[in-house]
Amino acid sequence: MKAADIGHFFATLQAANPHPETELEYSTPFELLTAVLLSAQATDVGVNKATRKLYPVANTPQQILDLGLDGLCEYIKTIGLYKSKAKHLLETCRILIEQHGGEVPRTREALEALPGVGRKTANVVLNVAFGEPTMAVDTHIFRLGNRTGLAPGKTPLEVEQKLLKRIPAAYLQHAHHWLILHGRYVCQARKPRCWECSVSAWCKFKPKTAAPA
């Protein structure tokens, strides 16, 4: 995709959704960190169902620790891999209390040092909670980067680095959400809904799909 086309691509997404937001429900950086940690290989809808019950009871590191492993598992057992996620979350809470005064750190290095928190999760927290212009490359963004020609790459890191380099600064703050939502609802994995796509004019995907008869 040409540099000039990238500007049109994101201007169009911005016009349709000027203030995109994550579909994970949260009210504090810690709630966001918890939700993102729980969302690995799970849907946002499924995570939200669990956290709607969890957060009114425990939404701070100390309160989560006070639940203990069995208590926490009761709230998140509907989420895939809940046992390992519960262990990671409890250890993360312990580290937050012991090393960060119970607050979510604002650096990638400190975030990635937390159990269960990888580069993607750290990028989400930095972008959504703290307004950093980062790019969390999940399966949707990895697919879009390659399919559209926006930022082809063999690894999520390669796609991330290209996106950060190619996306105009004016769009970086919200680019992560525009791409995720576009990939989730329009440029879907099995069959992209090209007939509904507002940015198809700049997309390099050749076999455009037609609307079902």
Side-chain angles (χ1 to χ4, degrees):
M1 190 181 297
K2 297 178 181 178
D5 292 343
I6 294 175
H8 293 304
F9 184 97
F10 281 100
T12 302
L13 294 178
Q14 181 185 54
N17 187 4
H19 304 289
E21 297 180 349
T22 178
E23 293 185 324
L24 289 171
E25 297 172 358
Y26 75 99
S27 60
T28 67
F30 176 71
E31 287 186 359
L32 176 66
L33 173 62
T34 298
V36 179
L37 194 154
L38 295 176
S39 70
Q41 299 182 48
T43 65
D44 289 358
V45 172
V47 172
N48 289 338
K49 285 182 179 179
T51 57
R52 284 173 197 157
K53 297 178 180 179
L54 172 64
Y55 290 160
V57 176
N59 70 338
T60 68
Q62 188 59 59
Q63 289 172 343
I64 296 288
L65 279 178
D66 290 343
L67 286 177
L69 181 60
D70 291 340
L72 178 57
C73 283
E74 278 300 306
Y75 286 99
I76 66 172
K77 62 185 179 182
T78 55
I79 300 173
L81 307 174
Y82 74 93
K83 289 184 178 179
S84 62
K85 290 176 180 178
K87 292 177 181 177
H88 285 153
L89 180 54
L90 287 169
E91 182 62 13
T92 285
C93 289
R94 184 188 65 77
I95 293 172
L96 290 178
I97 291 171
E98 292 180 357
Q99 300 181 19
H100 302 286
E103 299 295 324
V104 176
R106 300 184 62 149
T107 68
R108 182 192 308 282
E109 182 181 20
L111 285 167
E112 290 189 25
L114 299 172
V117 176
R119 187 177 183 87
K120 185 185 77 172
T121 297
N123 278 334
V124 172
V125 173
L126 290 171
N127 177 256
V128 178
F130 302 127
E132 299 288 338
T134 59
M135 184 62 58
V137 177
D138 66 351
T139 55
H140 297 301
I141 293 182
F142 184 76
R143 179 173 68 252
L144 257 70
N146 283 282
R147 180 184 279 170
T148 65
L150 180 61
K154 295 181 179 180
T155 66
L157 180 59
E158 186 178 354
V159 170
E160 175 189 330
Q161 291 173 336
K162 284 188 176 181
L163 287 171
L164 290 174
K165 183 178 180 180
R166 302 198 75 199
I167 297 173
Y171 302 114
L172 267 179
Q173 176 64 47
H174 297 306
H176 159 245
H177 284 125
W178 285 321
L179 293 176
I180 283 181
L181 294 172
H182 194 68
R184 185 173 290 166
Y185 297 111
V186 181
C187 196
Q188 298 173 335
R190 289 190 176 182
K191 185 179 181 180
R193 302 173 69 85
C194 298
W195 65 93
E196 293 181 350
C197 181
S198 62
V199 292
S200 61
W202 304 286
C203 173
K204 298 306 178 184
F205 182 60
K206 295 295 184 182
K208 297 286 198 294
T209 57

